[in-house]
């Protein structure tokens, strides 16, 4: 027996089941998403907006065995009632009939044992999630005002409940809380700026005072302006900047692209670089759906193809090491590609953790700064785009804080740069790895928030041109 999320409303599980029952195709998958959210936005030391949202969406994936082969039609829509289901299912089936044969066909996952509570109501969040954060933010506003500084930012908490049902009888669900905090501090004349971000599941672990103190410290560093030319510099990349680079690497770590010679992970003769040393310093890059504080779905859940396959929906996902003690150990592989190549299925997992040889015992960013004779600190990267997929060379900009370090002390703020680097090549040049900590990738925070990274030292990070961006 399913329950309702509010009086008079049909539970999303019921909508999912009814949509599935309407299917006339060879196979069908239905993914229901119930999403609630709350947010705060502030500028100039004052709250400007707050909001709550609630939405529900169904995705119907129709599988059609036609004369030309098996096709898939995927249609997603916001749903408000059962009267919209017939049109949604019909649209998905029409898309399946019109589609070309799928290249990633695999049998739909059969039911298996798990502990999901399918019938439990969708999890929700609301503005009350900020009950401790909002007063702390108010105190930060007062402190910033007194220090002649301005705070700008955005705080968001989302709770998504996913319900996956298939025509084979599989039922799985996952409740995913996601929170992100982004804050800029600026001098009163707006000539100096610094950024910080954090991710959280429930906002109980956000330390506003520590974050604003760090921002104030960076503004103080910016009191001295230093112009430097483009070139290669010894550079410290803090966890957020490393997250932006490593998430991009992870998105491109697919076995098929490598085996077909289209990626940086390709070797000769249709092979991959699995088994090769990518990070001599003993770095490990892994994912684990059960990682404390960064829990992610323990099964495949996707509405798009490409690196993933809709045919794999519901397949279990487990902890996996992508780079193990410096050696490339695994690449993502769909079930179809696994069958065709005789290799294991390796699903995408929605979190990413990097550790160095010292694990959680590495140096803090402050300790890495203290150990720098002359180098740069790049606090965050921005506008990252691919230049060459064969080497995964990317370009992007620095933003909100590049600092010159001399003799263990930050001397001042430096102009911004455009950078050109391959995150894979970068792994081979890292000379020091700090302590792993949960962080927020600034560039990719709209898509991927569950990341833990260390700060690292790179002896020759390539800053190709001076940027006028501010």
């Amino acid at each position: 027996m399913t329950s309702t999320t509010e009086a008079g409303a049909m539970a999303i599980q019921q909508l999912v089941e009814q949509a599935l029952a309407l299917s006339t195709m060879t196979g069908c998958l239905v993914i229901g998403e119930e999403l609630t959210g709350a947010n705060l936005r502030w500028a100039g030391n004052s709250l400007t907006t707050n909001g709550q949202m609630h939405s529900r969406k169904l995705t119907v994936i129709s599988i059609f065995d036609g004369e030309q082969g098996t096709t898939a039609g995927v249609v997603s829509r916001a749903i408000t009632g059962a009267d919209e289901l017939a049109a949604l299912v019909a649209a998905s089936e029409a898309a399946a009939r019109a589609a070309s044969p799928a290249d990633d066909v695999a049998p739909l996952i059969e039911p298996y044992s798990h502990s999901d509570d399918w019938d439990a109501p969708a999890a929700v969040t609301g503005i009350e999630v900020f009950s401790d954060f909002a007063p702390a933010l108010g105190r930060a506003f007062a402190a910033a005002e007194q220090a002649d500084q301005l705070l700008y930012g955005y705080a968001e908490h989302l709770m998504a409940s996913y319900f996956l049902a298939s025509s084979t009888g599989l039922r799985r669900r996952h409740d995913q809380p996601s929170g992100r905090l982004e804050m800029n501090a600026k001098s009163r004349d707006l000539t100096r700026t610094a950024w910080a971000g954090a991710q959280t599941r429930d906002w109980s672990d956000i330390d506003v005072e520590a974050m604003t103190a760090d921002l104030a410290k960076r503004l103080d560093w910016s009191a001295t302006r230093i112009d430097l030319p483009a070139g290669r510099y010894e550079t410290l990349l803090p966890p957020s900047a490393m997250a932006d680079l490593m998430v991009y690497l992870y998105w491109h770590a697919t076995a098929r692209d490598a085996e077909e010679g289209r990626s940086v992970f390709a070797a000769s003769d249709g092979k991959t670089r699995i088994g090769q040393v990518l990070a001599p310093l003993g770095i490990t890059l892994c994912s684990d759906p059960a990682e404390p504080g960064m829990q992610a779905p323990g099964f495949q859940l996707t509405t798009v193809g490409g690196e993933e396959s809709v045919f794999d929906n519901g397949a279990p996902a487990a902890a996996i090491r992508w780079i193990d003690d410096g050696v490339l150990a695994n690449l993502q592989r769909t079930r179809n590609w696994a069958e065709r190549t005789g290799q294991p299925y390796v699903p995408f997992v929605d979190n990413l953790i990097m550790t160095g040889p010292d694990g959680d015992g590495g140096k803090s960013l402050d300790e890495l700064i203290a150990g720098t004779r002359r180098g740069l600190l790049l606090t965050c990267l921005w506008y990252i785009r691919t230049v060459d997929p064969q080497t995964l060379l990317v370009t992007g900009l620095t933003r909100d804080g590049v600092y010159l370090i001399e003799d263990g002390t930050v001397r001042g703020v430096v102009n911004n740069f455009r950078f050109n680097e391959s995150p894979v090549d970068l792994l081979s040049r890292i000379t020091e790895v700090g302590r792993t900590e949960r962080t927020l990738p600034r560039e990719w925070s709209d898509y991927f928030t569950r990341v833990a990274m260390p700060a690292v030292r790179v002896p020759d990070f390539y800053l190709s041109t001076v940027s006028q961006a501010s």
Side-chain angles (χ1 to χ4, degrees):
M1 177 71 72
T2 54
S3 59
T4 55
T5 55
E6 57 185 275
M10 182 178 287
I12 191 169
Q13 298 97 317
Q14 293 173 302
L15 294 172
V16 168
E17 296 286 4
Q18 288 191 16
L20 191 62
L22 288 169
S23 172
T24 63
M25 292 265 126
T26 309
C28 184
L29 295 153
V30 181
I31 299 174
E33 177 187 335
E34 185 104 21
L35 181 67
T36 55
N39 60 71
L40 302 173
R41 193 181 297 276
W42 57 96
N45 298 338
S46 297
L47 280 174
T48 55
T49 60
N50 66 81
Q52 295 191 89
M53 54 87 70
H54 177 201
S55 66
R56 52 172 44 170
K57 179 176 72 176
L58 256 60
T59 298
V60 177
I61 304 167
S62 295
I63 312 298
F64 178 57
D65 285 338
E67 293 182 358
Q68 304 302 317
T70 299
T71 62
V74 183
V75 177
S76 298
R77 287 181 185 169
I79 289 292
T80 59
D83 57 334
E84 301 167 56
L85 296 177
L88 173 61
V89 174
S92 172
E93 296 189 346
R97 288 191 179 91
S100 300
D103 190 47
D104 56 346
V105 175
L108 297 186
I109 298 293
E110 296 291 335
Y112 56 88
S113 178
H114 57 76
S115 59
D116 297 352
D117 187 353
W118 174 265
D119 288 333
V124 298
T125 188
I127 202 72
E128 64 278 3
V129 75
F130 299 123
S131 59
D132 292 330
F133 171 75
L137 188 61
R139 293 191 291 273
F141 290 162
E145 196 68 31
Q146 194 168 24
D148 211 22
Q149 297 170 357
L150 301 171
L151 295 179
Y152 299 77
Y154 180 70
E156 176 185 76
H157 192 245
L158 300 176
M159 180 67 79
S161 288
Y162 299 100
F163 299 86
L164 168 66
S166 80
S167 53
T168 62
L170 180 67
R171 300 291 184 272
R172 293 225 55 177
R173 71 168 286 168
H174 177 74
D175 298 325
Q176 184 65 70
S178 303
R180 67 183 171 110
L181 166 62
E182 297 195 56
M183 192 167 339
N184 273 83
K186 296 179 184 291
S187 58
R188 179 71 68 181
D189 61 3
L190 304 182
T191 59
R192 293 176 286 146
T193 180
W195 176 91
Q199 46 122 328
T200 178
R201 281 173 63 88
D202 59 12
W203 289 86
S204 65
D205 52 355
I206 295 295
D207 188 338
V208 177
E209 186 175 359
M211 177 180 281
T212 53
D214 186 56
L215 288 170
K217 178 176 68 176
R218 295 185 189 190
L219 286 186
D220 289 343
W221 288 346
S222 303
T224 301
R225 165 86 181 195
I226 301 163
D227 290 325
L228 289 178
R232 291 187 178 273
Y233 289 90
E234 178 169 313
T235 298
L236 298 181
L237 295 169
S240 175
M242 274 304 288
D244 272 319
L245 294 173
M246 291 302 111
V247 167
Y248 206 64
L249 178 155
Y250 180 39
W251 281 340
H252 289 79
T254 63
R256 182 168 185 172
D257 284 347
E259 287 161 2
E260 293 184 338
R262 298 194 302 269
S263 87
V264 67
F265 300 106
S268 59
D269 301 326
K271 297 180 181 177
T272 73
R273 296 174 66 184
I274 289 177
Q276 290 187 14
V277 176
L278 300 185
L281 210 56
I283 286 170
T284 292
L285 192 67
C286 62
S287 298
D288 183 353
E291 176 70 17
M294 300 201 304
Q295 294 91 331
F299 58 94
Q300 182 69 60
L301 185 66
T302 183
T303 60
V304 298
E307 292 81 9
E308 303 174 76
S309 170
V310 295
F311 292 91
D312 294 345
N313 270 307
I320 187 163
R321 294 191 170 210
W322 308 106
I323 298 173
D324 188 2
D325 195 21
V327 177
L328 181 64
N330 283 292
L331 295 169
Q332 299 165 49
R333 187 178 293 110
T334 66
R335 289 188 303 139
N336 173 283
W337 194 247
E339 174 70 21
R340 289 160 67 174
T341 58
Q343 299 183 73
Y345 165 59
V346 184
F348 178 86
V349 179
D350 197 20
N351 62 25
L352 192 64
I353 303 111
M354 174 185 277
T355 53
D358 298 324
D360 292 339
K363 293 179 181 176
S364 67
L365 180 59
D366 286 344
E367 290 171 323
L368 290 173
I369 291 172
T372 302
R373 189 186 67 79
R374 189 174 193 273
L376 298 181
L377 169 63
L378 303 187
T379 53
C380 61
L381 309 178
W382 186 247
Y383 208 74
I384 300 171
R385 298 292 184 269
T386 301
V387 175
D388 178 13
Q390 290 294 131
T391 59
L392 203 60
L393 178 67
V394 298
T395 188
L397 301 172
T398 63
R399 190 176 189 186
D400 290 329
V402 181
Y403 305 97
L404 175 64
I405 307 164
E406 289 182 325
D407 300 323
T409 300
V410 175
R411 298 300 184 191
V413 69
V414 177
N415 46 275
N416 279 307
F417 296 94
R418 174 169 291 282
F419 70 89
N420 288 287
E421 279 285 358
S422 164
V424 177
D425 186 60
L426 194 77
L427 287 173
S428 69
R429 292 157 34 220
I430 291 172
T431 55
E432 194 169 9
V433 182
R435 182 184 309 152
T436 297
E437 57 187 67
R438 286 167 49 193
T439 189
L440 183 74
R442 185 177 191 182
E443 171 78 315
W444 310 124
S445 60
D446 285 347
Y447 315 103
F448 201 103
T449 58
R450 286 170 282 281
V451 190
M453 289 282 146
V456 304
R457 184 188 306 277
V458 182
D460 52 358
F461 194 85
Y462 185 36
L463 298 162
S464 56
T465 58
V466 171
S467 169
Q468 300 306 313
S470 60

